[in-house]
Amino acid sequence: MWPAVPRHHAESTLARHAAGTYPGAYLWDCTLVTTFEPCAMCAGTVYWAGIGRVVFGASEEALLALTGNNDENPTLSLPCREVFARGQRAVEVIGPVAALEAELLAPHQGFWVKR
């Protein structure tokens, strides 16, 4: 039996809402900004929503280093750039932001080992 994991990450929820609210031409000029690199699910949702740029502070790899093999966060080792590279639209990706990464990771230190 697989544990229940969140399937409504903030990035995918925002992208779905945006796609239902704004026209594609508008979204292509928008930027989704997030703390951590979008996972494969979120990257796919951003792509299908038509959002043209993603900026993230810390990489999925950095998050995985914090969470380890935690059932609540079964991280896929699949960078968002690889997800976007398989599409027909060139989503711009900026991140990780080295100057911010340590600050963004700090609140998560020790959280996942306590769970």
Side-chain angles (χ1 to χ4, degrees), residues 35-39 58-79 101 105 108-113:
T35 303
F36 287 104
E37 178 176 6
C39 70
S59 69
E60 180 77 7
E61 186 176 80
L63 179 61
L64 177 59
L66 291 173
T67 64
N69 188 18
N70 188 299
D71 286 343
E72 293 181 45
N73 190 36
T75 302
L76 285 170
S77 182
L78 182 59
E101 196 162 23
L105 293 171
H108 299 272
Q109 297 292 337
F111 176 82
W112 293 98
V113 295

Side-chain angles (χ1 to χ4, degrees), residues 28 43 46-47 50-54 81 84-85 89-93:
W28 188 248
V46 166
Y47 176 82
I51 297 170
R53 182 181 308 108
V54 172
R81 282 179 175 87
F84 296 137
R89 293 187 294 256
V91 176
E92 181 182 4
V93 179

Side-chain angles (χ1 to χ4, degrees), residues 1 4 8 33-34 36 41 56 61 90 95-96 104 109 112 114:
M1 176 86 171
H8 297 283
V33 178
T34 184
F36 287 104
M41 172 186 69
F56 64 89
E61 186 176 80
L104 295 172
Q109 297 292 337
W112 293 98
K114 296 176 190 173

